[in-house]
Structure formats: C-alpha cells, structure tokens
Amino acid sequence: MSRVLIVGAGLTGSLCACLLRRELQNKVQIVVWDKARGAGGRMTTTRPPDSSCSSADLGAQYVTATAAYSQSHHSFYSELLSSGVLQPVDSLIEGLKQKDGNKDYMTPLGMCSLVKHFLSESGADLFFERHVTGLFRRGASWEVQRKAGDSETFDAVVLTMPVPQILQLQGDVGNMLSAPQRQQLDEVMYSSRFAVALFFPPGAVFSFPWAARYVTGNPCICYIAADSRKRNADVPDRGPSLVVHTSVPFGLAHLEKDKEDVQPIILQELQKLLPDLPEPTSVKCQKWRYSQVLTSVPDCPGQMTVNERPLLVCGGDAFSHSNFDGCVESALSMLSVLKASL
Ligand SMILES: Cc1cc2nc3c(=O)[nH]c(=O)nc-3n(C[C@H](O)[C@H](O)[C@H](O)COP(=O)(O)OP(=O)(O)OC[C@H]3O[C@@H](n4cnc5c(N)ncnc54)[C@H](O)[C@@H]3O)c2cc1C
C-alpha cells in the first residue's frame, strides 16, 4: 500500500485527500499534515473566546459559482448543498457585484466546515502542528522533515501551501525544479491584507440592515461582515460577530508591522464607519501575508509535477484560481497525476 503525504489541511489538500480516497479506497494510506492547530487554511473559522459568542470567518467569506462552474462542478455543489454545508446567500450584501448566472453561497457553520466536510470524507490520518521544513529524496521515497526535528518517509508527497512557502523548503525541491518551473513559481504573486474579528456579548445589536458591505473609498477598510448574520447563525443566547477586511494597499503598506500595532488603526477606522457599534468582548487580528493570488502559474494547469518517481506534486489556488472552484480544479488535476503514479 502506498503512503501519500498531503501537506496542508486547507481546501485543496482536504479535497485532494477526499477524491483520492474515493478513487483508490483502501489501496492507499493518506496522511495529512498541517502546521496550524486546526483545519481550514485560508478558509479558517476562528473560534470565539467563550461559548457566549459566535465564531467568525477570518479568511474566505462565501462561495461564488459562475454558471460554467455550477455545471462542471455540479457534483461538488450538490454534495455540499444536500449535506447542509452550503446554503444560498439570502441576506443583504451591499455592494456585491452580481454577474449574470453567478450563484452566491454561504456556510452556516463557517467556511472551515467546507474543509472539514472533505477531510472527514477522506478518512485520512490527520495531524496538526506538523510543520514541514524540508524534503529529501531517499531512493524511491521522500523523507519529510518537520520543524520538531524528526522525519517520516512517504511514497508520494503533495504540497498545497502558498508557493513562497514551497520555495522556502529545504532539501531537494529547489534542485529538482526545472528552470521554467522555477521561473513560473517565482512569478506567482499574492495580495496581502489584515482581517479583524470582533466578538460581542449576547444581546448586542447592530443598527445597520446589511449582513455584509463592500466599502469603497476608504484607505483602510474594504469589507465588513456581520459574520453570524451573514451565516444566519444569530441565536439569542450567543453574541454576534463582525469581521473586517483591510484593503490590499493598506495590507501592503503595513505588511511588516506586528498585527498588535495594526489592529488599533483598523478599529479606529471601523469606529468612524460604524460609530454606533457596541463594545466587543474580544478582538482577534490576522495578518494574511498570502491572501488571494494576483498572478497564478501561467495557463492555470492545476498542479505542477516536480518529480515523477518518487512523486512530488504541488497544487493549490496559485495553480488555478483563488477561490473555491480554483481549489476544486487543482485537486482534480492532482488526483489525475496521483492516480497515474500510484
Ligand atoms: C482574506 C481572504 C478572503 C478570501 N475570500 C474568498 C471568498 O470570499 N471566496 C473564495 O472562494 N475564496 C476566497 N479567498 C481565497 C480562498 O480562501 C483560497 O483560494 C483557498 O482557501 C486556498 O486554499 P488552499 O488549500 O489552496 O491553500 P491554504 O488554504 O492556504 O492551505 C494551505 C495549508 O498549508 C498549511 N501549511 C503551510 N505551510 C506549511 C508547512 N510548511 N507545513 C505544514 N503545513 C503548512 C497552512 O497552514 C494551510 O492550512 C479568500 C482568501 C483570503 C485570505
């Protein structure tokens, strides 16, 4: 039985694990490692400080399916809709650009429930706080080194982290990339931004009517969501949550600052935009150094095979598009490569 390591428990890694299990069933042992403490990656849902508050989506906000992807990825959408993971957006989102044929969906339990759905379907051996630092070729296998100092051996490795983090790995990855591959990866670019989640006590009321709003003309804030309202998750015994995303220029200008220093600037701007906002019980700030992909790998191949035997394949939104359907495309391309190799 082949042992496959998938690095990253974001949407691409989780979906890849799930599709691999469905295709190859018990012919493969699937192991997923993530350096974080939980699943989700950039589709993270942050837990509130206590159970009297609602959770909040700090990264991706909702899923928008174009008419073409609604058709080509129909099986994924119908699986997620029938299991209740996705629901059509039915609340007011001010400033959302509607395109003909597009459908918007939200996740009642938060965006990370999408990722968790596919992880639980995968039956993979899942480990958090496993930070991969290097990959070394050992004959027909990969020795994968962890930050903790130890290593394990696998027959095939799938990397789904943002491209700059792939390029930082020690060992043989850098040497195995061909010159055109290296150039394609070097040219991948991401936007950067900050996100802030505010958690309110039970009984706190927002005076505005919208569930989310795109803010124009503000140098700092570009998006605000009454997160629990957006997900139809407001319940009387739990306080609501609010999420703020900064603009990309603001993110870039403050990228090297500590998030503790940037949080007060964002909160001050928020106060100007929403002066009636109640007092939060707690606040959490996240710096997204790699937020959405601005320049992806040319022609969006979905994956890049760095080595065929032992297999090393890279995927993620940088190899397609920076959204749900982009991750599906990438996972499907990596599945083809894995099936052919295993
Ligand atoms: C602020 C923001 C808003 C967004 N809004 C939307 C939206 O509304 N709709 C939408 O569809 N998309 C949105 N996106 C984009 C979407 O979130 C991404 O396209 C998608 O989540 C990428 O998934 P992924 O699995 O490819 O990568 P990731 O989610 O980044 O997963 C990679 C995983 O690898 C792990 N990792 C990294 N390095 C290592 C290592 N060395 N060892 C072990 N593990 C490691 C990370 O912890 C992470 O969990 C948004 C993203 C951000 C940041």
Side-chain angles (χ1 to χ4, degrees):
M1 189 195 282
S2 301
R3 284 190 87 215
V4 179
L5 174 67
I6 297 177
V7 183
L11 182 60
T12 308
S14 307
L15 199 46
C16 183
C18 170
L19 297 173
L20 195 57
R21 171 67 68 224
R22 286 177 182 170
E23 286 282 333
L24 296 185
Q25 309 212 330
N26 293 329
K27 292 185 198 133
V28 64
Q29 187 194 355
I30 307 168
V31 180
V32 178
W33 286 1
D34 199 295
K35 67 177 182 178
R37 273 185 291 170
R42 280 171 279 156
M43 294 196 168
T44 184
T45 305
T46 192
R47 267 185 297 213
D50 66 67
S51 57
S52 68
C53 306
S54 302
S55 57
D57 284 329
L58 273 173
Q61 294 294 299
Y62 38 80
V63 173
T64 300
T66 59
Y69 274 134
S70 289
Q71 241 181 354
S72 61
H73 292 165
H74 173 75
S75 62
F76 298 97
Y77 282 105
S78 63
E79 174 178 341
L80 293 168
L81 284 162
S82 64
S83 59
V85 174
L86 278 188
Q87 273 180 22
V89 168
D90 60 0
S91 51
L92 174 64
I93 302 184
E94 263 190 21
L96 178 67
K97 288 183 198 123
Q98 289 284 3
K99 279 201 194 133
D100 268 358
N102 279 10
K103 288 185 189 146
D104 297 309
Y105 299 103
M106 55 84 179
T107 47
L109 296 177
M111 289 300 281
C112 80
S113 62
L114 267 179
V115 175
K116 286 181 177 168
H117 171 85
F118 292 118
L119 274 178
S120 77
E121 289 285 305
S122 77
D125 299 332
L126 177 61
F127 299 92
F128 294 113
E129 299 185 274
R130 296 237 167 150
H131 189 153
V132 173
T133 50
L135 269 93
F136 298 85
R137 190 185 166 161
R138 301 283 184 244
S141 314
W142 285 106
E143 183 191 336
V144 184
Q145 257 179 19
R146 293 171 41 198
K147 201 173 186 175
D150 55 350
S151 64
E152 258 182 64
T153 304
F154 295 90
D155 302 306
V157 174
V158 174
L159 301 176
T160 70
M161 58 271 239
V163 165
Q165 293 172 338
I166 293 176
L167 294 175
Q168 280 161 17
L169 291 174
Q170 292 157 17
D172 294 324
V173 183
N175 311 330
M176 282 182 171
L177 288 169
S178 66
Q181 283 180 325
R182 160 65 75 164
Q183 191 184 346
Q184 290 184 347
L185 295 186
D186 281 339
E187 286 171 3
V188 170
M189 283 181 64
Y190 293 79
S191 61
S192 302
R193 64 173 91 236
F194 290 82
V196 177
L198 292 86
F199 303 98
F200 296 88
V205 176
F206 298 150
S207 58
F208 46 82
W210 38 264
R213 176 186 159 197
Y214 286 88
V215 180
T216 47
N218 188 285
C220 172
I221 293 173
C222 71
Y223 172 86
I224 309 172
D227 199 73
S228 44
R229 185 186 282 175
K230 180 196 78 187
R231 294 186 278 114
N232 284 345
D234 275 339
V235 285
D237 57 346
R238 232 180 282 150
S241 57
L242 191 101
V243 166
V244 179
H245 284 176
T246 71
S247 66
V248 172
F250 178 92
L252 204 58
H254 295 80
L255 189 57
E256 300 312 329
K257 292 187 184 148
D258 289 339
K259 59 184 183 181
E260 290 73 21
D261 297 328
V262 181
Q263 178 179 309
I265 307 173
I266 301 169
L267 292 181
Q268 213 174 12
E269 282 299 326
L270 182 64
Q271 163 73 16
K272 287 188 214 156
L273 289 169
L274 300 176
D276 297 335
L277 205 61
E279 194 61 31
T281 40
S282 76
V283 178
K284 183 175 177 187
C285 186
Q286 165 89 33
K287 185 198 288 189
W288 291 114
R289 183 175 289 276
Y290 307 114
S291 180
Q292 282 122 310
V293 179
L294 295 174
T295 310
S296 56
V297 169
D299 304 324
C300 299
Q303 58 81 31
M304 182 181 279
T305 303
V306 178
N307 196 58
E308 285 185 6
R309 282 192 195 273
L311 183 68
L312 175 61
V313 59
C314 304
D317 58 353
F319 299 83
S320 52
H321 324 286
S322 207
N323 56 26
F324 173 81
D325 289 291
C327 295
V328 173
E329 288 288 284
S330 175
L332 286 168
S333 323
M334 289 196 293
L335 177 70
S336 310
V337 173
L338 281 157
K339 265 168 62 185
S341 168
L342 301 171

